[in-house]
Amino acid sequence: MKGILSLQRTAMAPFKASTFISSNTSVALPLFHLNKIRPIHLSIAKSSSYCCSCSIRLTHSASQPKQHQHRVVCRNVVEILEERGLVESVTSDKLKSSCLDPTDSPLKVYCGFDPTAESLHLGNLLGIIVLSWFRRCGHKAVALIGGATARIGDPSGKSLERPELDANTLETNTLGISNTLTRILGGNDNNDSINLNKNYNFGDSSLIVLNNYDWWKEFRLLDFLKQVGRFARVGSMITKESVKKRLESEQGMSYTEFTYQLLQGYDFLYLFQNKGVNVQIGGSDQWGNITAGTELIRKILQVEGAYGLTFPLLLKSDGTKFGKSEDGAIWLSPSLLSPYKFYQYFFSVPDTDVVRFLKILTFLDLEEISKLETEMMKPGYVPNTAQRRLAEEVTRFVHGENGLKEALKATEALKPGSETKLDWETIEGIAEDVPSCSLDYDKVLNISLVDLSVSAGLFESKSAVRRLLKQGGLYLNNNKVNSEDKRIEADDIVEDFTEEGPHGHMHRANYKVILSKYVAKSFLT
């Protein structure tokens, strides 16, 4: 049986031996694992709308014939997206007018997600946000998983060809992404989604999840060349930005990648013709692929009414991509990144980015966001107030109300001196997000806290422990330790459960204790 000793860093810069320690901030600690027989658990604590109400109505009675569908339009979704900085380009201004006409049917909008990983990440969140805005304004949303196109690999924004994925990996990734999309956007039968969006009337605009492999798997090459290839012009395809950059590079572009825009273009044609989808959305790097679809629809079907809309990529104010951290991608799946760590990522957004992210990543009313921005400029503003609101709103959208509660509870539990009860579930939720190690239960019980702090890797020396203890910066289970003679007692250990032994006796099955370190650092000048 394994347990975890968790050590969390809370300083903004690495701790140096040459610095003085006081009692106001925190230091960084390494990660290591020691698997033993009967473990304990230790952890270092951390110091430290917007709504468009639209609906679809049918007006008829038992004695009257059914009338045509009539939309009650309160706001134009394209205008909303423009106000919030979520529109880069549109293929036609007619898209905006289509949103305003109450006699028209609701738009059916799709966004594609290639299953190149088992979870979507922060870079995909804007597509989900924009889909949700269309739904909130009475339109219908379609999430298309690229089970076929992922076998090719989208060259957009890539300097090298994507690695080939095997069938089993694609199947696993497809399932994971489908679950993520359904959990976040949900359908009418998704309780979490209904509770999450209870202030909005989605009508019949539930989410539809499709996989393009379903229509590509039987498509023969000769049929594709005859039905699609003959309408594609190589000159036009070469001028696409995603192709042009790769052709100019040393690596060049394979014919396989070159055909990607036709595959995505045909997806739009297929959905337009068979599913009634008339709008495709995507990041600005998808403009070439989207226009390939509108061109095919116009040439092959010889009809109008297919539109494309792109939104800016999620970037920081310095132009770098927002969605990566030192530890890797910011995943939207709780199995890969806990709600607590997801929350903390947004809580650490710099002031220069927070207002823009409130506009594009949340559904807060713009007036409320403007008030937060004004407060940031006033004397007495509590630092990170806007970031806290951003973290709460985005975490609630991605992980639901329960996920937000989990994140807030874990955040509170990691504060030194916090009155939050350190039960087993709280500790378990923190364990995966902080550096940790495991030790034998017998090697912890009755041991000196000073010795344990060193053996657990919390400090490099006993003198460092004693120095911090005298400054009032050492905590055990959120309680300040005042004596260096303190030893770990049975009451200091948090048990998660008991189980029946071979002779019917109940015995301890797992043991956990939180060792918290709250220190400050000041630099020599």
Side-chain angles (χ1 to χ4, degrees), residues 124-136:
N124 305 119
L125 185 56
L126 277 185
I128 300 175
I129 292 281
V130 175
L131 276 181
S132 186
W133 271 118
F134 273 95
R135 291 185 69 209
R136 289 164 187 254

Side-chain angles (χ1 to χ4, degrees), residues 341-356:
K341 203 163 188 177
F342 185 86
Y343 174 93
Q344 290 297 323
Y345 186 79
F346 284 97
F347 188 79
S348 63
V349 167
D351 288 347
T352 53
D353 290 323
V354 66
V355 173
R356 181 164 56 91

Side-chain angles (χ1 to χ4, degrees), residues 408-421:
L408 293 176
K409 187 175 182 180
T411 299
E412 183 64 25
L414 285 173
K415 290 182 180 179
S418 169
E419 295 181 359
T420 301
K421 181 182 178 182

Side-chain angles (χ1 to χ4, degrees), residues 115 147 151 165-178 211:
R151 298 165 189 255
L165 299 175
D166 60 76
N168 289 335
T169 299
L170 281 171
E171 184 176 352
T172 299
N173 293 352
T174 297
L175 179 61
I177 289 176
S178 178
N211 187 340

Side-chain angles (χ1 to χ4, degrees), residues 152-163 237-261 285:
I152 303 300
D154 185 0
S156 302
K158 298 295 179 182
S159 58
L160 296 174
E161 190 163 359
R162 295 175 186 264
M237 294 174 66
I238 290 177
T239 61
K240 305 291 185 184
E241 194 66 24
S242 60
V243 174
K244 192 162 57 174
K245 287 185 177 180
R246 287 293 298 276
L247 290 178
E248 294 172 352
S249 68
E250 183 178 344
Q251 291 78 16
M253 171 180 270
S254 70
Y255 175 74
T256 300
E257 284 186 300
F258 184 59
T259 63
Y260 185 93
Q261 60 179 286
D285 60 346

Side-chain angles (χ1 to χ4, degrees), residues 258-277:
F258 184 59
T259 63
Y260 185 93
Q261 60 179 286
L262 290 184
L263 300 186
Q264 184 169 326
Y266 180 78
D267 282 342
F268 196 2
L269 185 150
Y270 179 90
L271 293 171
F272 182 89
Q273 188 174 30
N274 297 281
K275 304 294 183 179
V277 175

